[in-house]
Amino acid sequence: MSNPDCPGCGEALEAGPQLAITTNAKQAHQRVNEAAREQVLHDLRHENFEQLRDFINGARPATATGGERPRLLDVDAGYGWFIRQAATYAFHGQEHRTRGARAVAARAGVVLRDGFFPQCLEPDERFDVISFNDSIEHFDDPAGALAVAAGRLRPGGVLALNLPDAQGALYRLARLLRRLGVSGPFDRMWQVGMPSPHRHYFNRGNLWRLAGQLGLETVAVDALQSLRLKGLYARIAYARPGAVVTSGLLWLGMLPLLAALRWLHGDIMVLVLRPGQPARNAADSGDGALAG
């Protein structure tokens, strides 16, 4: 089954349970406690964003900016965490979610533009870095979003993508459990019932091919942790309010998995791309398919 949202990306890996879910559905927003969600995700994202910042700085070529700080745009910036940690940049962020999410960011001193990318940008705005942190997989047309973003880069600018990996150990386990009749973990991976469910699951192979078709070359590739011991129980308890005993047992059961993940394929991949000739990367991705 070809994926109409991303021509040329390969065959669909999974139909995806999210296809029946409406993005930004009012009832989905009402189910999200932004303050609680911000608290349980903070530790994991904070550590990952520190790694991501250093990774981008190491991969981005030094370019002349006329004495001004390089400009960063974080697309769908959530609570503004990455913007706060990328302090060496003149930062800009955009977020289309509820006022609650933007209010959380505002309390930390980060003002986010309301609206969707790229409509919220000024006609002549250009950036040194445009980052998609857990956002490109939510776009109906990821190829179109990346093409527009590439056109908004200054000379020497880069795109930074941080997104789930369809080859990740947790995703593969969730897919196996679904085939055995246990669909909860798989639905959670696709963020079913959330205001902005996943539309795609990429792997390195199809993402490299998509980048090449857009005239983008891969500068660097890395991985980030999807689970850390610090804050793990809080994440479990947030998803299972009131189920204290069950949450505790699940936390205990996940400890061996957490240790094993250090040796398995990571569930979050990071790529830095730049405009150039089509990338020629050896696809070590297995099926090389796009889920969506």
Side-chain angles (χ1 to χ4, degrees), residues 4-74:
D5 292 327
C6 187
C9 283
E11 297 302 304
L13 178 63
E14 301 281 355
Q18 89 294 351
L19 296 179
I21 305 296
T22 302
T23 298
N24 287 321
K26 182 178 179 181
Q27 63 272 24
H29 278 292
Q30 291 173 341
R31 286 194 293 268
V32 177
N33 183 328
E34 295 287 0
R37 185 171 182 269
E38 189 264 351
Q39 184 177 8
V40 301
L41 288 177
H42 179 271
D43 290 336
L44 173 68
R45 295 291 174 85
H46 181 79
E47 293 185 37
N48 279 357
F49 284 159
E50 280 193 348
Q51 290 181 240
L52 180 63
R53 177 199 61 205
D54 295 340
F55 179 65
I56 293 172
N57 288 340
R60 189 178 70 87
T63 56
T65 57
E68 65 174 307
R69 295 161 67 194
R71 302 186 77 215
L72 163 72
L73 171 67
D74 194 29

Side-chain angles (χ1 to χ4, degrees), residues 47-130:
E47 293 185 37
N48 279 357
F49 284 159
E50 280 193 348
Q51 290 181 240
L52 180 63
R53 177 199 61 205
D54 295 340
F55 179 65
I56 293 172
N57 288 340
R60 189 178 70 87
T63 56
T65 57
E68 65 174 307
R69 295 161 67 194
R71 302 186 77 215
L72 163 72
L73 171 67
D74 194 29
V75 177
D76 289 348
Y79 304 119
W81 289 331
F82 184 60
I83 289 175
R84 277 184 276 167
Q85 290 177 245
T88 58
Y89 292 87
F91 51 76
H92 303 264
Q94 161 269 325
E95 175 56 55
H96 66 268
R97 291 192 296 169
T98 63
R99 286 176 295 189
R102 293 192 296 277
V104 172
R107 287 197 296 271
V110 177
V111 178
L112 303 176
R113 303 181 192 188
D114 183 16
F116 290 87
F117 175 86
Q119 291 86 352
C120 64
L121 301 182
E122 298 296 327
D124 297 326
E125 279 191 298
R126 296 291 184 272
F127 302 90
D128 297 283
V129 177
I130 298 180

Side-chain angles (χ1 to χ4, degrees), residues 140-188:
D140 288 336
D141 179 13
L146 291 177
V148 171
R152 290 288 188 152
L153 292 175
R154 287 173 166 176
V158 298
L159 304 179
L161 278 61
N162 156 26
L163 68 164
D165 190 339
Q167 289 185 289
L170 290 178
Y171 183 81
R172 289 178 178 269
L173 176 60
R175 191 170 59 185
L176 174 62
L177 290 173
R178 181 176 183 245
R179 290 171 178 169
L180 296 175
V182 181
S183 61
F186 188 78
D187 288 353
R188 184 65 186 87

Side-chain angles (χ1 to χ4, degrees), residues 178-201:
R178 181 176 183 245
R179 290 171 178 169
L180 296 175
V182 181
S183 61
F186 188 78
D187 288 353
R188 184 65 186 87
M189 299 295 279
W190 284 89
Q191 296 191 0
V192 172
M194 299 295 287
S196 184
H198 289 166
R199 296 297 181 188
H200 311 277
Y201 251 90

